[in-house]
Amino acid sequence: MHPFTYSRATDVADAVRDKAGHVASAYIGGGTNLIDLMKMNVEQPAHLVNVAKLPLSKIEDLPDGGLRLGATATNSDTAWNEDVKKRYPLLNQAILAGASPQLRNAATNGGNLMQRTRCYYFYDVATPCNKREPGSGCSAIGGYNRVCGILGTSEACIATHPSDMCVALAALAPTVRVSGPNGERTIAFEDFHRLPGDQPEFDNTLAEGELITSLDLPEKGFAKNFAYLKLRDRHSYAFALVSVAVGLEMDGDTIKEARLALGGVAHKPWRDQSAEDLLKGQPATAETFGRVAAHVVANAVGQGSNDFKIELARRAIVRALKQAAEGQQQAGDMYLGGQ
Amino acid sequence: MSQTNHIGKGPNRVDGPLKVSGTAHYSGEFNVPNLAYGYVVSSPIAKGKIVAIHADEVRALPGVLEVFSHDNVPHLAWFDKSYKDQIAPGGSPFRPLHEPDITFNQQPVALVVADTFELARYAAALLRIDYEQEAHETNLETKRAEGFVPGKGKTGFQPPPPPRGNPDKAWVNATHQMEAEYAHGAQHHNPMELFTTTVEWRGDGQITAYDKTQGVFNVKNYLMGVFGLGKDDVRVVNQFMGGGFGSGLRPQYSVFMGVLAALELKRSVRVTLTRQQMFSIGHRPNTLQVVKMGTNPDGTLAALQHHALHETSQFEDYTENIVNWSGMLYQCDNVKLGYELAKLDIYSPQDMRAPGAASGNVGLEVAMDEMAYAAGLDPLEFRLRNYADRDQNVDKPFSSKKLRECYQQGAAKFGWEKRTQEPRSMRANGKLVGMGMGGGVWDATQNKSAAKALISADGHLTVRSGTGENGTGTYTIMTQIAAETLGLPLEAVTFELGDTDQPEAPIQGGSWTAASVGTAVKNACDALGEKILKLAQKQDDSPLKGAKFDEVEFVNGQLRLRLDHDQAVVLRDVLQASGETQLEADSSATPNMAKQQGYSMHSHNVAFAEVEVDEDLGTIKVTRVVSAVAAGRILNQKTARSQVLGSVIWGLGMALMEETIMDHKFGRYVNHNFAEYHIPVNADIPHIDAIFVHEDDDIVNPLGVKGIGEVGMLGVTAAIANAVFHATGKRVRDLPIMLDKLL
Ligand SMILES: Cc1cc2nc3c(=O)[nH]c(=O)nc-3n(C[C@H](O)[C@H](O)[C@H](O)COP(=O)(O)OP(=O)(O)OC[C@H]3O[C@@H](n4cnc5c(N)ncnc54)[C@H](O)[C@@H]3O)c2cc1C
Ligand code: SF4
């Protein structure tokens, strides 16, 4: 770990100014990811701006019927918020499927979006990694890549975005509000994370110095028919091999509207709008689910030790769609270690 | 009623309050004055040479005290023998910072010492080292044809017995046959506590090393040998341990580094390994096994062949007993056991909970399940038909063996009779249900140990022995034994351990501590008791006059005649009347060879497991485990149960998730952290029942204990693997059984 200076920002403007005023600086939220990366010399910021205590921790109604999740609200406070539980139980489930209670108590919503990949090689400075050190090569390609992606990968990087929360967000499609040296702007969640292409060092489209201030959820929360399914190597406290977030709007047995996003398969939370279109107007049957699932993984490419993810994703999609259509899940289920 | 009968009850851990209040000090918690901190730098390559270490750049940082490497390490012991610890395998032990050659990935290559931990860590990150890389080989698959039979080498290693009967012919002629290969990858101990040594510089070349170790004497002897220290120059202390599981059996390089720096800098130094470095200190080796079995028409075993090949380093022939158990767990007249090693560019493996047995048990017990199915028999019935009443490996009877009772009681508790034999025939909650079983056998060993007992005039007893407590309950059971021997309440007894200033005890491992140290403690207390009796008899009106030691007993704070309880004196009165401020006695215990030589001494167990499998998704949930153990006399129901619960969890981890993945391109473990090396968490752990089947056994040792730390792990992994087969009809032979193997 390299030495760094540290300050605690008082408001958003102060945070943005402070960060812009220091080279090699970084925001820090709960620190549950950044500190680990610093200890392993993966990240070496010279200055930290603590944003965890900024007045951005509220969860409040928006005039358009949506809900604003403050960027510094903790993952726990977000999951257990009454409005989230009632109106966006999919988000509650996805957050609770991630990490551990201790981590969720510290982790912030902004930090969750910004967390880095769990690719083994990214964490180990003894091995080449394009994401950590552009141009050094990708060790995961041809190496051990159980945690890596099968969709939207590139020759430079096959890493995945590890968040559970973000998979639900991809399905719920909020906008991300950010503040930076050039003022405020919003980014559609869909456009927030990016595919690796030939610049895997960039996980997302946030510009230098920009601070996430909130996630603004639209009104539609799919609170009745939803599912978050997470498959992993142990029953808790493990990242997703494959996860599926589904939100459906049903008209009897017919799917009126659908959202479908996958985690653990790509460099970004993988929302598939063409699959959503295929679901619309269709009967909620095994046949429909199977067809849509096959469509989602049609272009998936295995990398060796993660080949199984293609079939696993296909089956997980079928299962999650079925669960959502049946309206089986409830907020809080995941807390009991459910799948 | 006696209130000082403690053995066999389940008192709480006597060290529990210290642990939960943070007053139990672990090796990294001795904050001696003027402490410097060392941070180890590890090699990023598996094989090659260090060409240059640019240490001066780092030495120039204010606060950095020194950078140690092969470049500047002073002249240390020359011969291999000085580096050999008590359980070193054959070959040449690894010498840290000895030469520029790199022989395994993450080899420690330098130690940066600074005034603060943070600075040492930072400086270590800056240290530039140039390497010349050579081609390495870390893949056991490539060495299948290059296995070799190791020499005797390591203490405790038993080469497999020679073949008996005609195993090849018997297999060919058998009514039913099976043959299969089983594999598991490397696994690491992963205790929560990192390896840490705090070396206190006492001046004049004398040090005290507070070191995480399972054997303070082993470490002391190693340090004396390597650094040429005298007996009085070095004291090693370890009173608490945050888990060992075998990782602390041999002196680790953390202690070498700490002592080197302290001696050179003449200053106290602490060295703590990182979690990543915890994957460079030995492991359960990647192992390949082939088992062949055949049965007679009546379901008895006609032939059994078991061969194992596992990895070792280039410099040591690490050995463990993998296949031997297969020749003694079941009755079979035609047996062939084979054992080979292959050298790879890795660090030497190291004993890990039930070393050898845990590996071999998976091969044997999954094969037994396969054989039972091939022969059309219920797996429990099949085992009963092949019950061994004698250890055929050595052709001796068992000193005691209640495995049959384990089978019966375990099966009854588990509800084995509800199992239907056909795979895929049971379902619940929309999932496939499977029930499986496996059994195991482990050594009951006693090693030479010494202890000292002291009693003060106020009647408080202190007993000391330089053994270890790695969380198993040593403090508690030794307190129980001492208190019961001298008829005292537990509160009147303090047991002290983990210090080379105490009487010598063996390494804490092999499940022999209860038997070895327990017997020494009992002997020391008996010796003290004899002195107390003599004192009592000196009193004019003593009712015990003329009584021999075996005619008296210590109960409820009194010393009395066994046959006439009214003839009693109060222990404290005796001590006070004597005018002595303290009485003490030393004793040691060695196994009674004459008594033992006619017997095979082992503990046994059986585990039954139930799983639910989601067939579409491949997910496995272990829903119940029953483990029945026959390990002689149980000293403490609570700590023994905890040992079995922990063992079952270990077995579950081995079955379903634990594996250290080697990337052969780099010859480096890639999941060397707790996020990606998965050990079971609460959500994975089912309801576990532990059953103890009592055995009376005065052959193993006077206490009749066999040790409980390892046997409980056996059978579990196989039981889960067999349950998965029963549930799904899929036989997974390479562990761990992760969901993709069931898709
Ligand atoms: C062992 C372990 C297991 C885990 N398991 C899971 C899991 O199963 N599923 C899962 O989803 N997650 C898991 N996590 C990850 C956890 O969810 C993240 O670490 C956490 O969400 C990060 O939030 P934080 O506030 O601590 O971020 P920090 O560590 O503080 O920061 C992370 C990054 O975000 C940036 N950042 C922080 N706040 C802002 C902001 N407001 N604007 C812009 N940038 C910002 C920082 O600069 C940094 O780059 C696990 C973590 C660990 C350590
Ligand atoms: S997949 Fe991406 S993160 Fe992993 S090694 Fe390759 S470049 Fe690095």
Side-chain angles (χ1 to χ4, degrees), chain B residues 271-287:
Chain B
V271 175
T272 307
L273 301 191
T274 64
R275 180 57 63 190
Q276 284 65 40
Q277 288 164 347
M278 292 290 284
F279 288 78
S280 65
I281 56 171
H283 57 281
R284 195 191 298 290
N286 181 191
T287 305

Side-chain angles (χ1 to χ4, degrees), chain A residues 121 124 146 234 315 319, chain B residues 614 616 663 668 679 740:
Chain A
Y121 305 95
D124 187 346
R146 187 173 179 85
R234 67 180 162 196
R315 295 183 187 195
R319 175 68 62 84
Chain B
D614 185 318
D616 291 338
D663 181 322
R668 187 172 171 90
I679 56 172
D740 45 302

Side-chain angles (χ1 to χ4, degrees), chain A residues 36-318:
Chain A
D36 279 359
L37 291 166
M38 287 166 65
K39 284 187 187 165
M40 315 242 218
N41 300 312
V42 174
E43 304 217 24
Q44 306 175 354
H47 180 68
L48 291 183
V49 183
N50 186 342
V51 297
K53 294 288 180 284
L54 289 182
L56 298 172
S57 63
K58 285 213 194 82
I59 294 177
E60 53 196 350
D61 282 329
L62 288 168
D64 66 357
L67 191 70
R68 169 164 293 169
L69 310 175
T72 63
T74 66
N75 287 180
S76 293
D77 286 346
T78 306
W80 294 113
N81 174 276
E82 284 307 319
D83 284 303
V84 170
K85 272 163 64 186
K86 213 162 67 224
R87 292 155 60 187
Y88 308 95
L90 172 61
L91 182 59
N92 159 285
Q93 288 289 79
I95 295 175
L96 295 182
S100 69
Q102 295 91 328
L103 283 161
R104 296 192 297 261
N105 287 345
T108 62
N109 291 337
N112 195 305
L113 261 63
M114 298 292 291
Q115 65 175 296
R116 316 283 326 255
T117 184
R118 306 305 292 206
C119 174
Y120 319 99
Y121 305 95
F122 176 70
Y123 268 79
D124 187 346
V125 295
T127 58
C129 166
N130 284 328
K131 185 182 274 300
R132 181 168 26 79
E133 216 185 309
S136 62
C138 172
S139 298
I141 296 174
Y144 187 67
N145 46 45
R146 187 173 179 85
V147 295
C148 294
I150 50 172
L151 287 162
T153 52
S154 75
E155 276 167 28
C157 178
I158 58 171
T160 57
H161 191 265
S163 170
D164 288 295
M165 177 180 182
C166 289
V167 183
L169 289 174
L172 294 168
T175 47
V176 183
R177 271 200 328 141
V178 305
S179 255
N182 300 322
E184 290 197 14
R185 65 176 181 128
T186 58
I187 308 168
F189 192 82
E190 176 77 21
D191 301 326
F192 186 82
H193 296 101
R194 57 184 292 284
L195 292 178
D198 53 11
Q199 286 192 303
E201 64 272 29
F202 298 113
D203 295 348
N204 53 55
T205 56
L206 206 62
E208 173 57 36
E210 280 182 326
L211 175 79
I212 301 171
T213 55
S214 74
L215 297 162
D216 293 353
L217 287 164
E219 186 176 4
K220 200 172 272 182
F222 304 93
K224 213 163 150 264
N225 293 95
F226 70 93
Y228 189 71
L229 176 65
K230 178 175 179 179
L231 299 163
R232 44 185 147 177
D233 279 331
R234 67 180 162 196
H235 287 271
S236 178
Y237 199 41
F239 289 93
L241 291 167
V242 168
S243 69
V244 187
V246 177
L248 299 177
E249 223 172 77
M250 302 295 296
D251 184 359
D253 288 338
T254 305
I255 298 165
K256 232 173 89 191
E257 159 129 40
R259 295 287 170 80
L260 175 64
L262 269 65
V265 295
H267 198 257
K268 60 186 289 189
W270 188 262
R271 180 175 168 194
D272 190 331
Q273 298 200 39
S274 62
E276 293 171 2
D277 290 339
L278 279 179
L279 284 163
K280 270 181 220 166
Q282 297 298 309
T285 59
E287 194 276 326
T288 306
F289 301 154
R291 187 156 37 82
V292 170
H295 171 82
V296 175
V297 297
N299 295 320
V301 182
Q303 302 286 342
S305 28
N306 75 352
D307 289 348
F308 70 93
K309 280 190 177 182
I310 301 173
E311 179 61 14
L312 185 65
R314 195 185 63 71
R315 295 183 187 195
I317 294 166
V318 171

Side-chain angles (χ1 to χ4, degrees), chain B residues 352-649:
Chain B
M352 177 162 149
R353 204 168 196 173
S359 305
N361 188 259
V362 173
L364 176 65
E365 289 298 278
V366 176
M368 281 294 283
D369 203 69
E370 299 207 39
M371 190 69 249
Y373 272 92
L377 285 168
D378 172 89
L380 176 57
E381 172 60 25
F382 180 50
R383 284 172 175 82
L384 285 167
R385 286 197 197 178
N386 290 285
Y387 196 83
D389 285 308
R390 263 179 100 74
D391 177 350
Q392 289 182 288
N393 277 355
V394 290
D395 194 26
K396 288 178 186 173
F398 292 101
S399 62
S400 59
K401 177 181 175 181
K402 294 217 168 157
L403 178 57
R404 206 185 294 277
E405 289 79 355
C406 289
Y407 286 149
Q408 282 155 357
Q409 292 180 31
K413 180 88 195 171
F414 184 78
W416 183 258
E417 79 284 355
K418 296 196 198 84
R419 178 183 187 272
T420 49
Q421 171 86 351
E422 196 56 32
R424 308 177 57 83
S425 61
M426 299 182 77
R427 266 161 221 270
N429 310 317
K431 307 230 172 85
L432 293 167
V433 172
M435 294 182 178
M437 67 167 296
V441 51
W442 182 250
D443 299 314
T445 319
Q446 184 190 353
N447 284 319
K448 180 165 191 264
S449 304
K452 180 190 222 49
L454 310 92
I455 195 158
S456 56
D458 65 357
H460 192 89
L461 174 68
T462 303
V463 184
R464 301 190 177 123
S465 177
T467 178
E469 163 68 276
N470 56 25
T472 45
T474 312
Y475 277 111
T476 312
I477 58 168
M478 297 307 158
T479 303
Q480 288 174 265
I481 294 168
E484 178 160 326
T485 308
L486 289 177
L488 297 169
L490 294 177
E491 306 74 55
V493 179
T494 306
F495 180 72
E496 294 171 354
L497 55 71
D499 190 329
T500 51
D501 281 353
Q502 296 162 342
E504 182 158 355
I507 298 171
Q508 192 196 21
S511 297
W512 58 56
T513 301
S516 311
V517 181
T519 308
V521 165
K522 174 152 193 345
N523 289 355
C525 291
D526 277 338
L528 188 62
E530 292 201 45
K531 290 191 176 177
I532 297 171
L533 174 63
K534 287 209 179 92
L535 273 189
Q537 289 171 334
K538 274 194 198 154
Q539 290 170 10
D540 296 337
D541 52 348
S542 175
L544 305 177
K545 280 233 153 56
K548 297 213 185 73
F549 187 60
D550 58 7
E551 291 165 0
V552 299
E553 60 186 11
F554 291 83
V555 176
N556 294 344
Q558 292 186 327
L559 175 53
R560 67 188 187 195
L561 289 182
R562 280 181 198 273
L563 297 178
D564 183 355
H565 292 180
D566 292 338
Q567 301 306 314
V569 294
V570 175
L571 204 60
R572 210 182 318 191
D573 294 347
V574 175
L575 294 164
Q576 275 162 4
S578 73
E580 306 269 357
T581 51
Q582 178 169 290
L583 272 189
E584 57 177 74
D586 285 279
S587 188
S588 65
T590 41
N592 185 339
M593 295 299 188
K595 200 164 177 180
Q596 294 178 348
Q597 66 181 358
Y599 296 92
S600 167
M601 299 176 295
H602 289 91
S603 52
H604 291 85
N605 87 322
V606 61
F608 295 89
E610 180 186 80
V611 300
E612 280 182 12
V613 180
D614 185 318
E615 199 175 15
D616 291 338
L617 304 175
T619 51
I620 302 166
K621 171 93 190 144
V622 180
T623 45
R624 284 184 307 133
V625 174
V626 174
S627 175
V629 181
R633 183 186 192 193
I634 298 304
L635 295 169
N636 183 319
Q637 293 292 334
K638 193 179 255 179
T639 55
R641 178 169 176 274
S642 295
Q643 285 295 301
V644 173
L645 300 190
S647 298
V648 168
I649 295 164

